[in-house]
Amino acid sequence: MSVRVGIPRALLYYYYFPLWKEFLEQLGAEVVVSAPTTKGILTRGVEQCVDEACLPIKLAFGHVQNLADKGVDVIFLPRMVSVAQREYICPKFLGFPDMVRQNIKNLPVVMDTSFNLRKKQSDVTDFVQRVGAYFGKGIFKSRLAFGVALRKQKQYQDLLEQGLFPEEAMAILEGKEPKSKNINTDLTIAVIGHPYNIYDPFISMNLLNRLNKMGVKVLTADHLTEQKIEQGAAKLPKKLFWTLSKKITGGALHFHEKSTVDGIIHVAAFACGPDSMTGELIERFIRREGRMPFLNINLDEHTGEAGIITRVEAFLDMVRWRRAVG
Ligand code: SF4
């Protein structure tokens, strides 16, 4: 019987799920994903996590608990240190497996193999071999499995760059028909933020779909190629060594410079150190130029939906008015 491996629908799920799923399945595992976020999942996460943590980490606790409730044999929580040379991921990712072990009782096995490409890309081999060995596979079969998974991940990234959102791209990879949106839009807005904040419909209060329904075409930094992100980030006087912050800032500055959008909405999580810095950087840069409407939204577990909708509606009215008066 296959080992049932759980992957939380949280944190880097929206970036790496196709890669992890394919890799684990090629190794013979059965992959189980936690349920879509609900109030109940968030509440359990908030109860079990330390108060000082950011909203996405609290939510990820709830998803880990959901996987434990589903009776999986293993919870896959790779210790994400770095996904690019000379760059880092937020330290909360690094400590997440330990936080979970300390705070949630009666968990199944937590697989926390380190993923660290800071020195060189080829260091991924160590991760591949360790995970493969857990499933009884040797070096050759493990590398083969990861090679197949990398090709799946490339297809996924190509679909994102074509303008799809993660759930749509994942559905296509599963062989499902893409839903036709048929939206009449008169505005294009960039929504900039961490994937776990903007793509989780519960946490973002369904922001992307709401915008679509309000006549807005939405673009995110994930629709841009790496080259465009780098060009945007190069406008800063110093290199950002946090990969996700670089993507957010580079994306925002690219959209601003090329004027391919009518406005930018930055979505940040309360208690997020990197977000407070990137939000400030982007806002200062845009306000200095003074030519693009900008809205900053902060999310926490107490954020009221009505307040966010009112602010977004007022922002869109202002963008439309600005455009009308030229
Ligand atoms: S980048 Fe911010 S939101 Fe993401 S895990 Fe780190 S502190 Fe939390």
Side-chain angles (χ1 to χ4, degrees), residues 30 56 63 118 146 165 193 208 226 241 288 316-317 322:
E30 180 195 341
H63 280 279
R118 191 184 67 85
F146 197 68
F165 293 126
L208 305 189
E226 208 174 318
F241 53 86
R288 200 176 59 207
L316 296 182
D317 285 347
R322 265 179 69 131

Side-chain angles (χ1 to χ4, degrees), residues 36-93:
T37 302
T38 58
K39 177 107 182 98
I41 289 180
L42 176 60
T43 304
R44 281 186 89 181
V46 169
E47 283 165 2
Q48 298 183 82
C49 190
V50 291
D51 288 343
E52 297 73 28
C54 59
L55 177 68
I57 291 288
K58 289 176 180 168
L59 178 63
F61 264 68
H63 280 279
V64 169
Q65 183 65 65
N66 183 262
L67 288 170
D69 294 346
K70 285 177 183 250
V72 298
D73 304 305
V74 175
I75 299 184
F76 186 66
L77 296 181
R79 192 181 294 277
M80 302 301 285
V81 182
S82 167
V83 295
Q85 248 174 304
R86 298 205 302 277
E87 290 180 10
Y88 283 103
I89 290 281
C90 166
K92 299 241 172 83
F93 287 93

Side-chain angles (χ1 to χ4, degrees), residues 11 54-57 90-93 194 196-197 244 269 271-275:
L11 299 178
C54 59
L55 177 68
I57 291 288
C90 166
K92 299 241 172 83
F93 287 93
H194 288 296
Y196 34 86
N197 291 330
L244 299 187
C272 169
D275 271 355

